[in-house]
């Protein structure tokens, strides 16, 4: 029996789910809000772990292609003191394939392959338990029904309210992202400083991380503790001598506020901010640790929609493995009752694993943006010994 299955969202979770179903010749409708594949920049680089994201790609039959496209050298990690002294300079062995990096756009294209995504289909609401199945309403007024609707629509999921009242809350830590292009030719000193992978500098309650993507592109993340409305009064909230509110769309104003916030750090490190192009404001939100819900027949969640956690390198990995596992469970479930049992069992497994990672990443975030910067170094030594 062929179940009518829809997945809402074409991110790592939704596409992996659809791709594994496709491999098993099971039809699936992929509904994505973005109007087209390249409607917005795909974002930075992701490291895919052997036991999570790479396992999922294996289930999709895409591991060999991933290995050809990914950057094992991107695992390199350098940590500097705020005065520029190199504290750690970790290089992967040439055969190390534990956590290679891949650009998000490359991963998306790899997963998309033959999939037929319905672009421009923003979902507004999901209503379980109608006579014809689970009803999906779209922003353009259309609607459709399915036997199973999988919410893989990220942090601000419109599917989640069908199963859970939980909403993301602010962690107290904000990230501002900028980027540099053609770093090897335009900023060779910065290229050397960053190396082949990532470079991080940890100060009191703040850090700066630069991460190499392919093609000489570098993403820089400034993270700091701040109230959500920190930009409305830099004097009161950030101790900066500037009373007027900061216009987050004003590139030069954001640059100068960040330079003031990281004042006193080594000049080459601050050059990452001086040469950054646009700045994107990303307050870090999370769902409650160990978020679960009472099972609702016909609807489930994957990835950030189910367990948004701090960006410490596992969110996409979990999202992909969950997508692959749910797809395998669904294809092994012949009848309607079997489908529901398969989804229930999958949820139990997802909640247990995601709960463990949510605790680890929350504790990790506290240590990476800590009043005591040696905590960040200690965390690095725990996870990356030698
Ligand atoms: C700076 C940063 C760095 C990170 N680095 C890593 C890393 O190295 N490794 C890692 O594993 N994780 C990393 N993460 C986390 C990772 O990005 C997320 O966990 C992952 O993208 C979650 O995938 P997802 O498919 O669940 O959701 P998303 O990637 O958010 O995808 C959701 C999709 O649903 C679509 N959508 C949203 N709403 C609707 C709607 N109403 N209707 C239809 N479609 C909709 C969106 O357009 C999007 O395509 C990082 C996160 C950040 C912010």
């Amino acid at each position: 029996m062929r179940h009518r299955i829809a997945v809402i969202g074409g991110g790592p979770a939704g596409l992996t789910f659809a791709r594994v179903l496709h491999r098993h010749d099971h039809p699936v409708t992929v509904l994505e809000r973005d109007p087209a594949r390249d409607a917005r920049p795909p974002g930075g680089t992701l490291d895919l772990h052997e036991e999570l994201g790479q396992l999922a790609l294996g289930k999709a039959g895409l591991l060999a292609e991933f290995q050809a496209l990914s950057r094992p050298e991107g695992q390199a990690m350098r940590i500097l003191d705020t005065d520029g002294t190199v504290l750690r300079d970790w290089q992967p062995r040439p055969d190390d394939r534990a956590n290679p990096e891949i650009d998000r756009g490359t991963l998306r294209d790899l997963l998309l392959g033959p999939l037929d995504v319905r672009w421009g289909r923003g979902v507004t609401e999901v209503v379980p338990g109608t006579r014809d199945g689970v009803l999906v309403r779209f922003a353009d007024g259309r609607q459709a029904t399915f036997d199973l609707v999988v919410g893989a629509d990220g942090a601000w999921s419109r599917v989640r309210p069908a199963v859970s009242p939980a909403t993301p809350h602010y962690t107290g830590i904000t990230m501002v992202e900028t980027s540099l292009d053609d770093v090897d030719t335009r900023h060779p000193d910065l290229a050397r400083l960053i190396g082949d992978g990532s470079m991080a500098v940890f100060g009191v309650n703040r850090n700066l991380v630069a991460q190499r993507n392919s093609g000489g592109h570098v993403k820089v993340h400034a993270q700091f503790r701040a109230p959500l409305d920190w930009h409305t009064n830099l004097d009161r909230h950030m101790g900066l001598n500037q009373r007027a509110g900061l216009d987050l769309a004003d590139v030069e104003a954001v640059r100068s506020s960040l330079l003031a916030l990281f004042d006193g750090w080594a000049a080459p490190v601050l050059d990452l901010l001086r040469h950054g192009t646009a700045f994107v404001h990303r307050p870090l939100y999370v769902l409650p640790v160990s978020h679960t819900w009472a099972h609702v027949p016909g609807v489930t969640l994957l990835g950030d929609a189910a367990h948004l956690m701090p960006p410490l390198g596992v969110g996409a990995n979990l999202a992909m493995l969950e997508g692959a596992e749910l797809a395998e469970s669904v294809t092994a479930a012949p009848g309607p009752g079997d489908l529901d049992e398969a989804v229930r069992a999958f949820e139990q497994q997802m909640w247990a694993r995601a709960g463990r990672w949510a605790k680890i990443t929350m504790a990790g975030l506290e240590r990476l943006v800590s009043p005591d910067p040696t905590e960040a170094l200690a965390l690095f030594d725990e996870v990356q010994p030698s």
Side-chain angles (χ1 to χ4, degrees):
M1 175 178 171
R2 290 292 194 231
H3 310 292
R4 297 171 302 160
I5 299 178
V7 58
I8 317 297
L15 291 182
T16 310
F17 173 69
R19 194 64 199 264
V20 174
L21 282 181
H22 182 270
R23 191 181 192 203
H24 289 270
D25 289 325
H26 197 299
V28 55
T29 307
V30 186
L31 301 157
E32 166 57 49
R33 183 181 55 191
D34 284 350
R37 172 194 292 234
D38 291 316
R40 61 187 162 98
T45 174
L46 294 167
D47 63 316
L48 294 191
H49 307 194
E50 236 164 1
E51 73 287 6
L52 296 171
Q54 291 185 54
L55 187 57
L57 287 170
K59 291 175 184 293
L62 296 171
L63 194 54
E65 281 177 74
F66 166 76
Q67 279 163 351
L69 293 166
S70 63
R71 290 174 282 110
E73 71 281 7
Q75 297 171 96
M77 180 77 200
R78 185 172 287 160
I79 300 182
L80 307 188
D81 208 343
T82 54
D83 66 4
T85 311
V86 177
L87 301 173
R88 299 287 185 276
D89 194 4
W90 186 85
Q91 299 294 329
R93 292 183 320 273
D95 60 344
D96 188 339
R97 296 289 181 274
N99 306 296
E101 296 280 342
I102 187 163
D103 287 8
R104 278 174 197 260
T106 309
L107 177 66
R108 177 203 56 203
D109 291 347
L110 174 64
L111 289 169
L112 271 174
L115 294 178
D116 179 18
V117 174
R118 303 209 187 151
W119 302 99
R121 290 297 199 92
V123 167
T124 53
E125 193 188 11
V126 168
V127 185
T130 75
R131 219 170 34 168
D132 190 33
V134 182
L135 176 71
V136 177
R137 291 191 215 277
F138 299 98
D140 60 9
R142 282 187 275 188
Q143 54 186 48
T145 46
F146 299 92
D147 300 316
L148 176 65
V149 172
V150 176
D153 51 342
W156 304 101
S157 171
R158 302 299 291 260
V159 182
R160 192 167 51 228
V163 299
S164 163
T167 51
H169 61 269
Y170 178 53
T171 55
I173 294 170
T174 281
M175 173 187 278
V176 179
E177 178 183 298
T178 189
S179 41
L180 291 84
D181 286 310
D182 297 328
V183 73
D184 298 293
T185 44
R186 289 162 73 177
H187 310 289
D189 291 347
L190 284 179
R192 275 191 293 278
L193 187 76
I194 296 162
D196 288 336
S198 299
M199 186 218 69
V201 189
F202 298 98
V204 174
N205 287 330
R206 64 205 63 186
N207 67 46
L208 266 182
V209 179
Q211 196 171 28
R212 200 180 259 275
N213 295 224
S214 60
H217 185 77
V218 167
K219 285 259 182 283
V220 179
H221 295 117
Q223 282 182 307
F224 46 89
R225 285 184 189 272
L228 198 50
D229 62 348
W230 65 279
H231 47 92
T232 59
N233 189 325
L234 297 174
D235 180 27
R236 175 149 42 96
H237 296 319
M238 308 304 293
L240 300 177
N241 187 18
Q242 193 179 321
R243 278 179 206 284
L246 170 66
D247 176 1
L248 291 169
D250 181 339
V251 174
E252 291 316 317
V254 176
R255 188 193 315 282
S256 109
S257 297
L258 288 179
L259 286 169
L261 192 59
F262 288 86
D263 187 35
W265 288 31
V269 171
L270 294 185
D271 279 346
L272 293 167
L273 299 174
R274 285 198 189 94
H275 296 299
T277 51
F279 290 88
V280 184
H281 186 227
R282 296 189 193 281
L284 299 182
Y285 283 83
V286 290
L287 278 167
V289 167
S290 301
H291 171 229
T292 62
W293 55 90
H295 174 74
V296 174
V299 187
T300 194
L301 305 175
L302 296 177
D304 282 4
H307 48 65
L308 179 65
M309 52 185 85
L312 267 77
V314 285
N317 278 275
L318 291 173
M320 291 172 68
L321 186 54
E322 291 157 9
E325 288 175 346
L326 180 61
E328 286 186 340
S329 304
V330 160
T331 53
D338 304 315
L339 178 65
D340 197 47
E341 272 318 301
V343 175
R344 270 181 200 273
F346 160 79
E347 286 172 343
Q348 296 293 334
Q349 184 179 322
M350 170 175 67
W351 292 335
R353 185 172 50 215
R356 285 195 300 277
W357 278 109
K359 283 193 195 99
I360 292 170
T361 54
M362 277 307 296
L365 182 68
E366 291 300 318
R367 295 176 78 187
L368 292 181
V369 193
S370 162
D372 175 5
T374 64
E375 278 296 322
L377 206 57
L379 177 61
F380 176 79
D381 290 341
E382 284 165 28
V383 298
Q384 204 83 287
S386 83

